[in-house]
Structure formats: structure tokens, C-alpha cells
Amino acid sequence: MGALDFLKEFEGRALDAASYKLLQRNYEMQEENNRLLKDKVESLDGTVAELRERNDKLSLENGRLSEIVRQFEEQRKYKNYEGIAFKVNEDGYVEPTPYCPNCHLVMSSTSGVPIYKCPKCRYAVGSKTRADVLARKLNSQNANQSE
């Protein structure tokens, strides 16, 4: 039962025709307002769904880009030289410990000949020079560049 149907019941009881017409116009305006509000709600529901989908896509892209930035930051912590990665401190000093350029784990050398192996990915590199000497060479190059 609509508002106008409800009003029809009072038609005979209204004080005068002018009051009835004002009430009728009021109910018509309320029904029109309700229809407009319903249309607006439906429109906003569609917009909300589109925005949620867009938010999901942007969240995925943000996660992907955050991972790229994290990897870049991780790569920036190391300097590769002659197949060996060396960790670089905040002040630019290169540590003498040899790291795997792939996994960034400390590589080991089991013999007197400097052959460094990664325990995780089995990366191996043979060097004519020990890692600590290579690190000193990198540090002296960095010192010369900063002067």
C-alpha cells in the first residue's frame, strides 16, 4: 500500500479540499523523493563495486611494486665484483666477506685456492685473488672516487 493509497482513506475526513490537496502533493513529493533516492542508491552500488575492483587491482600492483623496490634495495646493499658479491655498509665501506651474487648468502672456501661456493644454490666462482683483497681494492676505488 503506497502513501497515496493511505491518503485516499482520509479523503472524506479531511477538514477541507485545500488541506487534502496539500497532503496529496506532500505524499507525491515523498514518493518522487524515494524513487530518486532508490535510483541514487543503485547508482552508488555500481560505483562502489567498480571502486572495489579498482582498489583490488591497485593493491596487487602496489604489492608487486613494493616487492620490486625491496629487491632493488636488497641489490643496492651488495656490490658485485669478479663474480663475488660484497656487502656495502651505509658509509660505503665494502665488507671483506664473500657473498653469493644470487642468494646473498655467505660463500665458503674449503681449500687454499680461492674457490667460493654458495651452500644454497651451489654457485661457485674461482678467483685468482682472495675476497678480502678484492674488498680492499673496492674500498680504495671508492675512496679515490670520493676525493
Side-chain angles (χ1 to χ4, degrees), residues 2 8 16 25-26 30 33-34 42 54 58 72-73 75 80 85 91 101 123-126 128 142-143:
K8 292 265 186 215
D16 57 27
R25 179 66 184 137
N26 187 26
Q30 284 180 351
N33 188 35
N34 287 340
E42 289 173 1
R54 185 172 178 206
L58 290 174
F72 177 75
E73 290 293 325
Q75 289 294 328
N80 292 338
D91 61 355
Y123 172 82
V125 62
K128 295 179 182 177
N142 288 343

Side-chain angles (χ1 to χ4, degrees), residues 30-48:
Q30 284 180 351
E31 283 186 354
E32 177 66 15
N33 188 35
N34 287 340
R35 186 187 60 76
L36 291 172
L37 287 174
K38 182 180 176 185
D39 291 345
K40 186 68 171 174
V41 166
E42 289 173 1
S43 172
L44 289 175
D45 282 343
T47 303
V48 166

Side-chain angles (χ1 to χ4, degrees), residues 74-87:
E74 185 69 25
Q75 289 294 328
R76 204 171 73 168
K77 291 180 185 177
Y78 295 91
K79 184 166 191 157
N80 292 338
Y81 187 67
E82 293 191 16
I84 301 171
F86 294 95
K87 197 170 199 174

Side-chain angles (χ1 to χ4, degrees), residues 59-72:
S59 293
L60 287 173
E61 183 178 358
N62 186 33
R64 184 182 61 81
L65 292 174
S66 294
E67 179 61 23
I68 290 171
V69 167
R70 188 196 63 74
Q71 289 174 355
F72 177 75

